[in-house]
Amino acid sequence: MKVMLLTAGTRGDVEPFFALARAAAARGHQVRIAIPENSGADTAGLDTVSLRMDFARLVSDQGVSPRAAARTFRTVIRPAVGQLLSAAVEHIVAFAPDVVVYHPKVLSAPAAARRLGIPSVLVETVPALTPTREFPSPIIPAASLGPLNRASYAPARAATLMFRRELQSALDLLPPGRTPATETRATLIPVSPHLLPRPSDWPESVHLTGHWADKPAATEIDDELEAFLNGGDVVYAGFGSMKAGDARARGEAIIEAARRNGLRALVATGWGGIDIPAAAMGGDVLVRKSVAHHLVLPRAAAAIYHGGAGTVHAVARAGVPSVVVPFIADQPFWGAVLHRRGLGPQPVPYRKLTADTLARVLGEAGSCRGQAARTGELVRAEDGTAVALGVLENLAGA
């Protein structure tokens, strides 16, 4: 089976696709994956091609402010998306796959597959496109809208209209006179059912597979990090690609909250969402740009993070409590999900983060350790990529 994977966004959008790509290759399938520039994820052993859009630079230049995105929509975002959509079509045509598996941001992928007569499969890394009565769209900050829950999914599904000109330009690259169109055949949602049970009203074509994660590499922790982890109870803090507000004040709050709870702080500064001033440093603080989650999280007392879907699953798999500080999009949703499941305290929006508030919720996280450990055992037992590959093989007749 020839599988064309296409994903777009930040590292949390890329890594699950990499896990699926490696699992598919291990089963003997031919796999090519189209990815954004500068994703930060490990491409070793993968056949990758570029979608010619750098989400890392976009976030670094503009932060995560919707207002900034609105100001630069025509001059920056629209041209960048146009490049991505055209690149996706070019790669699908060049590879001639048996099945196309795509992230929702790659709007041209299903349209190109339809024109070429190839089955396509949508991957919702966040379940924001398949309506359900059980909860509103994860990109809407509401616990429930009652009878309007299903209607809340309409705006996300209308994204194609925002880029219809770019989409048409991309599809003009397709050769004429090909096989009649086929519709998207399935939806894969790489989310653990132990975090989000499958809604009863999802159609049978929607598969909640469990999370997609690479098997941990045999990477060793360096001596400095090993000594730090062995020096006492540690809280991990990292906000990935989130860059908004006062990063220095946020760093000071994290260090102060950790110290009030008798914890050492391992801080991953990521793309600049946390800044630790020299005055806050000490033997109980270790700062890195990034760390290997699978190596450090199981040894942490708790994790303070933004609530992106990838990190949510990494922390859940590690079996430690979550302290979620959401910034945008689906992050409040995941924070609320974890709180309802007894895996962490009530999330604290980043604009309301103070040392006092963070110290309090970090203290509350201790009561979640038992439930977090039990859930970790269940999540580690999942094999989401195997479930997903079973769906793809059935569609392609492999």
Side-chain angles (χ1 to χ4, degrees):
M1 178 173 66
K2 292 180 70 176
V3 185
M4 182 81 217
L5 305 177
L6 306 101
T7 186
T10 57
R11 187 168 180 172
D13 297 293
V14 173
E15 287 185 332
F17 277 78
F18 279 14
L20 182 62
R22 291 191 173 101
R27 281 167 70 154
H29 300 302
Q30 185 179 351
V31 185
R32 180 168 293 171
I33 181 166
I35 60 174
E37 296 283 348
N38 194 25
S39 71
D42 180 12
T43 62
L46 297 173
D47 176 7
T48 63
V49 290
S50 173
L51 287 174
R52 303 197 294 265
M53 184 174 180
D54 189 338
F55 283 86
R57 182 175 179 181
L58 195 66
V59 172
S60 178
D61 290 347
Q62 301 185 68
V64 297
S65 167
R67 186 175 300 175
R71 285 198 304 267
T72 61
F73 180 77
R74 292 185 178 181
T75 59
V76 177
I77 296 176
R78 188 184 287 278
V81 170
Q83 285 186 322
L84 180 148
L85 300 184
S86 294
V89 170
E90 293 170 5
H91 294 315
I92 292 171
V93 171
F95 189 57
D98 297 311
V99 63
V100 169
V101 183
Y102 67 97
H103 187 286
K105 290 188 178 77
V106 190
L107 300 170
S108 57
R114 284 196 295 271
R115 286 273 293 273
L116 296 173
I118 302 168
S120 63
V121 175
L122 170 65
V123 176
E124 295 184 49
T125 52
V126 177
L129 294 178
T130 302
T132 176
R133 293 184 298 271
E134 296 186 16
F135 51 81
S137 169
I139 63 175
I140 293 177
S144 177
L145 298 175
L148 298 178
N149 278 345
R150 289 184 65 88
S152 69
Y153 290 79
R157 298 169 69 90
T160 303
L161 298 177
M162 297 173 61
F163 299 102
R164 56 187 179 276
R165 286 181 297 177
E166 289 74 19
L167 180 57
Q168 185 57 55
S169 295
L171 295 180
D172 286 344
L173 300 172
L174 287 166
R178 299 300 294 270
T179 308
T182 60
E183 294 299 322
T184 295
R185 301 281 293 278
T187 296
L188 303 176
I189 300 183
V191 169
S192 171
H194 301 295
L195 301 184
L196 187 71
R198 188 185 193 282
S200 59
D201 57 348
W202 276 356
E204 291 183 2
S205 60
V206 177
H207 304 269
L208 188 70
T209 64
H211 192 55
W212 303 346
D214 274 320
K215 293 181 179 179
T219 306
E220 293 184 359
I221 296 178
D222 62 82
D223 291 343
E224 181 187 39
L225 181 53
E226 181 68 38
F228 187 80
L229 293 171
N230 287 334
D233 290 341
V234 171
V235 61
Y236 164 83
F239 295 127
S241 59
M242 296 298 100
K243 186 178 179 182
D246 190 337
R248 174 155 293 196
R250 196 151 48 238
E252 292 172 341
I254 289 168
I255 302 305
E256 177 63 22
R259 286 172 174 160
R260 291 190 198 177
N261 283 277
L263 298 169
R264 298 152 65 81
L266 172 61
V267 179
T269 56
W271 291 4
I274 305 175
D275 181 20
I276 304 297
M281 292 296 293
D284 60 346
V285 179
L286 180 61
V287 178
R288 297 286 179 88
K289 184 174 181 179
S290 65
V291 295
H293 282 164
H294 72 279
L295 295 177
V296 302
L297 288 176
R299 299 173 64 176
I304 303 169
Y305 62 103
H306 56 301
T311 313
V312 163
H313 281 87
V315 175
R317 186 180 300 107
V320 300
S322 292
V323 177
V324 175
V325 181
F327 287 68
I328 57 169
D330 59 307
Q331 295 164 12
F333 169 81
W334 289 116
V337 165
L338 294 172
H339 179 55
R340 288 197 301 270
R341 305 294 290 181
L343 302 175
Q346 189 79 30
V348 181
Y350 83 95
R351 293 184 185 277
K352 297 183 179 180
L353 187 70
T354 65
D356 289 341
T357 301
L358 187 56
R360 175 178 56 78
V361 296
L362 186 56
E364 293 172 0
S367 64
C368 302
R369 288 175 184 164
Q371 181 63 22
R374 290 188 290 273
T375 300
E377 292 179 359
L378 296 171
V379 174
R380 289 191 296 273
E382 294 176 355
D383 191 348
T385 58
V387 175
L389 284 173
V391 175
L392 299 181
E393 289 166 349
N394 286 336
L395 285 178

